[in-house]
Amino acid sequence: MRKTKVYYRGCLIGGAIGDALGWPVEFMSLEEIKSKYGNRGISSLVIGRRGRAEVTDDTQMTLFTAEGLLRGETRGYNKGVSETGKCVYNAYLRWLYTQGDPADDTLNIYDGYLIKQKELYVKRAPGMTCLTALRNREMGTVDNPLNDSKGCGCVMRVAPVGLFYRPQFAFNKGMECSAITHGHIIGHLSAGAFAYIIASIMSGMDIAHSVEDTLIELSKYYNSEEMVDLLKKAINLSMGKKSNEVCIKELGQGWIAEEAIAIAVFCALRYKDDFEGAIMAAVNHSGDSDSTGAMTGNIVGAHLGLNKIPRKWTSKLELYDVITKVADDLLTGYSDDGDWWMKYPGY
Ligand SMILES: [Mg+2]
């Protein structure tokens, strides 16, 4: 059965918590993390200067992905013309504006809900590929790649695609959203696969089956063999006896897209009913802790729902109200009851 509101919220809030937990240790080696936070590594949210646990570009861009999809598809429903990719691109330009870049006066796009949220106007180590691509004012597509990057910035932001569409649509839309800034096919496939996992969970599958289905879908694409192998390795490691540290080291560091999704899949499968265990495993390593934390939190949060995320993780989270509102909008398509949305072809 299709998941309800608490699971939409669980997915986006779960991702934001993983992001916030991983952010203080993003650029630290595991040894450095342990010497600062003890042998278990970082195990609770660090509270920032404003009294909240801080989220980074992963959560910020996830919100803007959602806004782009919502505006594109709502327009499509009402006017019959849907340029969702362009709307997501424009949403990313609004994100760029929140990062301190000047507005482009030739574009009439600087409006909407997110751009009014002051807490979004902070720079927390935004990815260079995203910044550079957006500053060039050219929108990349799968057929017209902008560069050769497969940095994980193209995949950590696409959970809303999986919340928004059925799995089959989600794969293609995830690829499209990724191609806006990143040109490498493995980046596109990683984003497609990640969106597909989330969409499958939202359609009522458990995490293991959603990952299995994703592998079948992924295998249909050219150049996907290595990625399929890496994800199979993540599945096997999750069922084995090796420690989290050893397993994650075998999968990579998560700076590039396929490693980030492999680490997230590993952590989500090993701790599928234990949100805390999942995000702690996902951030305590020498790689891109906030992105692997965010993606793991998205998957396990979508599976468990917000009610099963312990309160100690949610109570001091920055942007909590904004994130839950955006999650609700993804469920209902800006309407009160979601009625038109349920009849929409992509849903
Ligand atoms: Mg980040």
Side-chain angles (χ1 to χ4, degrees):
M1 210 178 78
R2 194 161 177 91
K3 302 266 187 166
T4 51
K5 188 190 273 186
V6 287
Y7 298 92
Y8 281 73
R9 291 181 170 194
C11 177
L12 294 194
I13 291 288
I17 294 168
D19 182 14
L21 183 66
W23 154 238
V25 299
E26 180 179 4
F27 301 108
M28 290 165 81
S29 69
L30 184 59
E31 292 66 36
E32 288 168 332
I33 296 172
K34 283 184 176 178
S35 79
K36 182 160 184 190
Y37 295 98
N39 217 27
R40 288 175 72 214
I42 190 166
S43 58
S44 59
L45 294 174
V46 172
I47 303 304
R49 271 174 297 160
R50 298 179 194 172
R52 316 301 288 170
E54 296 171 346
V55 298
T56 77
D57 57 337
D58 306 63
T59 302
Q60 294 165 351
M61 292 197 82
T62 296
L63 291 171
F64 280 98
T65 301
E67 187 177 79
L69 295 174
L70 275 159
R71 288 170 75 154
E73 295 294 353
T74 307
R75 183 180 152 81
Y77 181 78
N78 290 322
K79 298 196 174 175
V81 187
S82 168
E83 286 190 297
T84 313
K86 189 77 196 298
C87 289
V88 174
Y89 170 62
N90 287 341
Y92 290 163
L93 290 178
R94 286 191 288 281
W95 169 76
L96 183 67
Y97 177 69
T98 68
Q99 299 302 290
D101 273 50
D104 183 336
D105 293 336
T106 64
L107 299 172
N108 185 22
I109 59 164
Y110 298 96
D111 56 8
Y113 173 66
L114 292 179
I115 208 168
K116 297 190 191 103
Q117 307 306 319
K118 293 229 163 57
E119 277 182 308
L120 282 170
Y121 287 72
V122 281
K123 277 191 220 173
R124 306 251 167 79
M128 272 319 292
T129 306
C130 291
L131 293 172
T132 308
L134 295 169
R135 280 173 183 153
N136 285 342
R137 295 289 186 275
E138 192 188 348
M139 177 183 151
T141 65
V142 174
D143 295 329
N144 272 314
L146 289 184
N147 51 44
D148 196 31
S149 176
K150 55 173 181 171
C152 74
C154 68
V155 62
M156 55 57 161
R157 66 191 189 211
V158 301
V161 178
L163 295 181
F164 207 66
Y165 301 102
R166 290 191 206 116
Q168 231 68 33
F169 284 81
F171 203 105
N172 281 326
K173 291 286 184 184
M175 289 180 76
E176 261 183 55
C177 288
S178 138
I180 291 172
T181 53
H182 290 62
H184 199 293
I185 181 65
I186 296 298
H188 305 163
L189 292 174
S190 301
F194 186 57
Y196 196 95
I197 290 173
I198 300 288
S200 302
I201 293 171
M202 298 316 284
S203 71
M205 272 186 203
D206 63 26
I207 297 175
H209 284 100
S210 74
V211 172
E212 272 173 34
D213 264 26
T214 302
L215 284 183
I216 294 168
E217 183 66 20
L218 184 60
S219 307
K220 296 175 187 166
Y221 289 82
Y222 287 116
N223 304 309
S224 66
E225 298 83 1
E226 276 180 34
M227 230 192 108
V228 169
D229 288 345
L230 189 63
L231 288 175
K232 281 185 180 164
K233 191 173 172 183
I235 296 169
N236 289 333
L237 286 169
S238 77
M239 295 185 292
K241 291 204 162 39
K242 290 182 190 167
S243 71
N244 296 338
E245 290 173 19
V246 170
C247 294
I248 291 174
K249 215 171 181 179
E250 286 189 30
L251 295 171
Q253 294 204 320
W255 299 108
I256 49 176
E258 73 271 33
E259 292 180 4
I261 186 173
I263 293 170
V265 162
F266 163 78
C267 297
L269 286 172
R270 184 167 270 191
Y271 295 96
K272 57 186 184 303
D273 295 315
D274 172 7
F275 180 81
E276 186 165 308
I279 55 166
M280 275 185 58
V283 304
N284 284 302
H285 58 79
S286 298
D288 193 352
S289 301
D290 62 340
S291 296
T292 51
M295 291 170 65
T296 303
N298 285 143
I299 298 174
V300 181
H303 167 64
L304 291 176
L306 184 60
N307 296 346
K308 290 199 183 139
I309 298 177
R311 180 106 183 98
K312 73 167 203 176
W313 295 104
T314 56
S315 62
K316 294 222 167 122
L317 186 67
E318 192 177 55
L319 288 160
Y320 181 91
D321 293 341
V322 173
I323 297 166
T324 50
K325 181 178 163 31
V326 170
D328 294 353
D329 285 340
L330 285 167
L331 174 64
T332 61
Y334 287 141
S335 66
D336 288 336
D337 55 9
D339 202 31
W340 74 266
W341 199 229
M342 305 284 180
K343 296 174 198 147
Y344 197 60
Y347 188 82

